[in-house]
Amino acid sequence: MSIPPLYDTFLIREPLRDDPFAVTHNPSDIPTLIEVYSKSITHFSERKRERAVERLKYELALLYTREQKWKKALRCLLSVYEGSSWRREGWWNLLGLLREQVRDVAKTCGDAEAVLRAEWEGLCDCFPKKLEPNYDFSTCLDEMKNISSKPRVVVKAEESVSC
């Protein structure tokens, strides 16, 4: 006796087909996925589908992090983080998660400027707080060993969230 399927696929599609991003992929599939995502980004950019492009860039960055291609991942994350509709429309919870990922990948890459920008915005009240009560901004670069000199960063008010 066979067990009937959990979903009636005649009326409702399988969960796998409803949310393709929820599927885990084999490591051998990642180069193909990177190519497909890159083509999709171009396709949706030409049609001015900003949110679709942002979502695809974010997913592409996650694929790059799985491949440990940190510089490419940081480039994708920063493109979404700096000029996204999430920022303009006040989606602070999503932007807060993205800010943490930018900070972590930037630390791995050794990009002190990106770390400082992300940490600075993390001090703003609109982001969900995940900092320790005795957080010290001046120590955020201490874990990074490959910095030869102190970075200089200019944060423009119109490009960041003010504290």
Side-chain angles (χ1 to χ4, degrees), residues 93-112:
N93 289 335
L94 283 175
L95 202 60
L97 293 172
L98 184 61
R99 184 197 64 78
E100 290 176 14
Q101 289 175 331
V102 166
R103 184 196 62 218
D104 294 342
V105 172
K107 279 186 178 180
T108 305
C109 285
D111 188 341

Side-chain angles (χ1 to χ4, degrees), residues 106 110-117 141 144 147 151 153:
D111 188 341
E113 182 179 331
V115 171
L116 287 172
R117 286 178 185 272
L141 297 178
M144 298 176 65
I147 300 175
V153 179

Side-chain angles (χ1 to χ4, degrees), residues 139-152:
T139 61
C140 67
L141 297 178
D142 288 350
E143 299 171 9
M144 298 176 65
K145 296 171 180 60
N146 54 354
I147 300 175
S148 59
S149 64
K150 291 183 180 181
R152 293 172 51 179

Side-chain angles (χ1 to χ4, degrees), residues 40-144:
S40 299
I41 289 169
T42 305
H43 174 79
F44 286 112
S45 292
E46 291 170 354
R47 284 152 183 76
K48 309 283 190 248
R49 300 288 308 273
E50 185 179 4
R51 287 191 184 145
V53 170
E54 289 169 356
R55 170 72 187 257
L56 288 168
K57 282 183 179 179
Y58 177 73
E59 293 291 332
L60 183 61
L62 294 180
L63 289 174
Y64 281 137
T65 57
R66 285 184 61 187
E67 286 281 296
Q68 296 184 353
K69 295 180 180 177
W70 303 112
K71 298 266 185 203
K72 290 182 178 183
L74 183 61
R75 197 174 331 124
C76 288
L77 286 172
L78 284 175
S79 70
V80 175
Y81 181 65
E82 291 172 349
S84 72
S85 64
W86 302 355
R87 180 180 299 278
R88 288 189 307 273
E89 295 169 8
W91 295 0
W92 305 123
N93 289 335
L94 283 175
L95 202 60
L97 293 172
L98 184 61
R99 184 197 64 78
E100 290 176 14
Q101 289 175 331
V102 166
R103 184 196 62 218
D104 294 342
V105 172
K107 279 186 178 180
T108 305
C109 285
D111 188 341
E113 182 179 331
V115 171
L116 287 172
R117 286 178 185 272
E119 290 285 346
W120 178 258
E121 277 197 327
L123 296 174
C124 182
D125 290 336
C126 63
F127 289 114
K129 292 294 177 205
K130 293 198 176 184
L131 302 174
E132 306 87 48
N134 57 355
Y135 175 75
D136 185 7
F137 178 74
S138 65
T139 61
C140 67
L141 297 178
D142 288 350
E143 299 171 9
M144 298 176 65

